Amino acid sequence: MLRKIRLTFALIFFFIILLLFLDFTGTVHVWMGWLAKIQFMPAIMAMNFIVVAILLALTLIFGRLYCSVICPLGVFQDIAAWLGKKARKNRYSYSPALSWLRYTVLGIFVIALIAGIGSLVALLEPYSAFGRIAGNLFSPVYSAINNCLAFIAERADSYAFYRTDIWIKSIPTFAIAAATFIIIVVLAWRNGRTYCNTICPVGTILGFFSRFSWFKPIIESSKCVNCKACEKNCKASAINIAGHTIDYSRCVACMDCIQKCNKGAISYTHKAKEKEQPSAGGRPEEINSNRRSFLTATALVATAATVKAQEKKVDGGLAIIEKKKIPERSTPIVPPGALSLNNFTRHCTACQLCVSVCPNGVLRPFAGLMTLMQPEMSYERGYCRPECVKCSEVCPSGAIRPITVADKSSIQIGHAVWVRENCIPLTDGQNCGNCARHCPAGAIAMVPSVPSDSNSIKIPVVNVEKCIGCGTCENLCPARPLSAIYVEGHEHHRTI
């Protein structure tokens, strides 16, 4: 019964979180966006200490239920392991904990946080890893199915579905997501929770606490007949039936062992013991080292980075046009609500949930080494619409703070810069004014190119005090390959 309850909640959580990354309409986020905000590392980044305290309390009471129920990457490993189980049953066996590897990875994670190597942090953080897999591998398939349904609906004069663009936002990020997917699937297929118990820093931190959990699986030696059914079905390789012990730092409370035991020798309960069962990393000096590692890790802030995305190739899907080049910006542009570039990079875990829900293709992974896979704003495919605040609504880590539509219209994330040598009125002698015509802030005016001649061809002038950096002008500028007007980011956002 306990196993069925766990599986039910795990699958519900998993598929809802998966939908958060697949749903391009934003409907799921309205009701279920909180599931992203209760993930361990995003909660730490957002300094949501209530959530962190609840998760730690949950671990101290029930063991690593977070890893087997709430964490989407953990449940994904279980799905892969279950498929592998169909091919070969009873394939697991006890193996001593690789504590040196677990805490080495945690140490590297801590050092990366201190040094600000966000790309390395993003690779190790489990929720972000799952987000990249969902956004880069599963989302295109989901969108393709949606587009097929839209095609069928159009033929039936129905608008129940609408087409959406399918494009790779970043080839390097796609490659990283694919490699992560393959590694995790292979490890889970062959050995169950290997990734969870040797690489994942969150698993190591929670494993430290789960050793002291109130409820846990306990082997009653008097009932055990040493059949090894539990050991052969423990995907965490945590059961040593020879010594009737369980390594609780690796046990994810999946309840598989309880189901497999025909003698009722394993129960999920609390039992006062004179001596704690031995487990990997049980030596006093190792425990002290583990404690120091945990305290250091939970005191830090995670950052991550993203990669440069592909640029738009067609105009409305009708005519092939020359690609726009991304302008060289001195300062990257981060979304309204980020407060500053520094605040954004310090809190972002590169889960790319904001990238998944951005309706205009403005957010995409950044290419900088130190902030690899963190989102940045670029306006080759669209511009940041004044009425859209979806990224601030879904961000689980506090990198983008919640804002209202009214707030957004007054937040200056950058300012437009006019490039004279690219402007069509001067290069082609044709009237344009596209930037001024569409500027939602009214920050661009067209003035005569020759001040003394009111009839001379007109060129844009930017009022930097009114410009909010939404990128409408840059996106809609017809100049190719570089726009005649582009947005330069601000390190610190300000209200105008």
Side-chain angles (χ1 to χ4, degrees):
M1 177 60 72
L2 288 175
R3 181 175 179 272
K4 290 181 179 179
I5 294 173
R6 181 195 68 82
L7 284 174
T8 300
F9 279 101
L11 290 174
I12 291 173
F13 279 33
F14 175 78
F15 285 111
I16 292 177
I17 293 173
L18 178 61
L19 277 176
L20 291 179
F21 289 94
L22 302 184
D23 178 35
F24 49 82
T25 67
T27 305
V28 178
H29 293 276
V30 175
W31 301 101
M32 296 296 173
W34 59 272
L35 284 177
K37 297 181 181 181
I38 64 171
Q39 300 300 314
F40 190 80
M41 284 307 298
I44 289 180
M45 298 304 101
M47 290 183 282
N48 193 338
F49 300 120
I50 294 177
V51 170
V52 174
I54 291 173
L55 293 177
L56 292 179
L58 185 71
T59 304
L60 286 171
I61 297 172
F62 300 107
R64 285 175 59 180
L65 280 183
Y66 172 87
C67 298
S68 58
V69 176
I70 300 174
C71 177
L73 192 67
V75 180
F76 178 68
Q77 289 177 74
D78 284 348
I79 293 173
W82 177 77
L83 293 174
K85 189 176 180 180
K86 293 295 182 182
R88 184 165 65 91
K89 296 181 179 180
N90 299 322
R91 68 189 191 282
Y92 303 125
S93 62
Y94 172 75
S95 60
L98 298 176
S99 297
W100 65 270
L101 178 58
R102 296 165 68 186
Y103 289 99
T104 297
V105 173
L106 180 61
I108 293 172
F109 186 78
V110 169
I111 293 171
L113 286 169
I114 296 174
I117 309 175
S119 53
L120 183 56
V121 173
L123 286 174
L124 297 174
E125 205 281 308
Y127 171 72
S128 299
F130 178 80
R132 288 191 296 275
I133 291 172
N136 289 276
L137 304 184
F138 300 158
S139 183
V141 176
Y142 180 85
S143 297
I145 294 172
N146 169 82
N147 289 350
C148 289
L149 294 174
F151 177 81
I152 296 171
E154 288 173 7
R155 298 302 178 272
D157 293 327
S158 171
Y159 295 95
F161 299 90
Y162 62 89
R163 293 179 58 83
T164 182
D165 288 342
I166 302 175
W167 58 294
I168 298 177
K169 299 177 178 66
S170 165
I171 292 178
T173 302
F174 181 88
I176 291 172
T180 304
F181 174 83
I182 293 171
I183 291 171
I184 289 176
V185 167
V186 170
L187 288 176
W189 180 282
R190 292 173 56 87
N191 300 305
R193 287 286 189 130
T194 301
Y195 179 89
C196 206
N197 284 329
T198 58
I199 299 174
C200 177
V202 174
T204 302
I205 292 171
L206 295 181
F208 173 83
F209 283 98
S210 66
R211 295 167 56 250
F212 311 103
S213 61
W214 183 261
F215 290 101
K216 59 185 70 175
I218 294 177
I219 301 174
E220 295 186 41
S221 301
S222 60
K223 294 182 180 180
C224 180
V225 295
N226 296 332
C227 67
K228 293 191 175 182
C230 56
E231 180 178 313
K232 292 178 180 178
N233 286 276
C234 177
K235 53 180 171 278
S237 299
I239 299 178
N240 180 10
I241 203 63
H244 292 170
T245 60
I246 299 175
D247 182 354
Y248 295 117
S249 70
R250 289 185 288 164
C251 175
V252 294
C254 67
M255 316 298 178
D256 286 355
C257 56
I258 297 175
Q259 183 199 31
K260 291 296 179 180
C261 183
N262 296 324
K263 303 299 180 180
I266 304 180
S267 58
Y268 183 69
T269 184
H270 170 70
K271 182 178 179 182
K273 300 179 290 298
E274 293 182 0
K275 182 168 33 175
E276 194 69 36
Q277 292 192 40
S279 63
R283 292 173 303 188
E285 61 272 17
E286 257 187 86
I287 293 175
N288 291 334
S289 175
N290 298 349
R291 184 180 290 110
R292 286 193 295 270
S293 298
F294 164 75
L295 293 174
T296 305
T298 52
L300 299 170
V301 190
T303 53
T306 46
V307 206
K308 186 163 57 171
Q310 284 185 327
E311 302 149 19
K312 193 171 183 179
K313 295 182 179 179
V314 296
D315 184 5
L318 299 176
I320 300 297
I321 60 175
E322 185 180 3
K323 293 192 300 182
K324 271 195 175 185
K325 290 184 178 179
I326 300 174
E328 293 185 7
R329 311 182 204 273
S330 300
T331 304
I333 310 170
V334 292
L339 303 181
S340 68
L341 180 61
N342 181 57
N343 179 77
F344 183 79
T345 55
R346 289 181 63 238
H347 288 82
C348 178
T349 61
C351 72
Q352 299 185 23
L353 188 55
C354 58
V355 177
S356 299
V357 301
C358 180
N360 299 305
V362 171
L363 287 169
R364 74 275 307 273
F366 185 51
L369 180 61
M370 301 298 287
T371 54
L372 184 65
M373 294 178 296
Q374 277 187 344
E376 70 167 344
M377 302 178 73
S378 198
Y379 303 121
E380 287 68 56
R381 294 184 63 90
Y383 56 91
C384 192
R385 295 183 180 273
E387 72 277 8
C388 176
V389 290
K390 286 189 176 181
C391 59
S392 76
E393 293 174 343
V394 304
C395 179
S397 66
I400 310 174
R401 306 295 173 87
I403 59 172
T404 65
V405 173
D407 293 332
K408 183 175 181 179
S409 63
S410 62
I411 296 175
Q412 188 180 61
I413 62 175
H415 66 275
V417 177
W418 179 55
V419 183
R420 182 183 184 91
E421 55 268 25
N422 295 342
C423 196
I424 285 178
L426 299 179
T427 59
D428 297 355
Q430 300 292 326
N431 287 316
C432 179
N434 218 30
C435 52
R437 196 159 43 245
H438 294 94
C439 178
I444 303 176
M446 301 301 292
V447 301
S449 56
V450 180
S452 59
D453 183 3
S454 60
N455 294 322
S456 61
I457 200 162
K458 294 185 177 181
I459 57 175
V461 172
V462 179
N463 183 342
V464 295
E465 296 300 321
K466 294 178 66 176
C467 178
I468 59 175
C470 66
T472 306
C473 55
E474 179 180 330
N475 175 252
L476 298 178
C477 177
R480 295 293 189 278
L482 288 170
S483 294
I485 191 166
Y486 74 96
V487 177
E488 184 60 59
H490 287 178
E491 287 195 9
H492 298 274
H493 296 175
R494 67 186 184 93
T495 302
I496 59 174

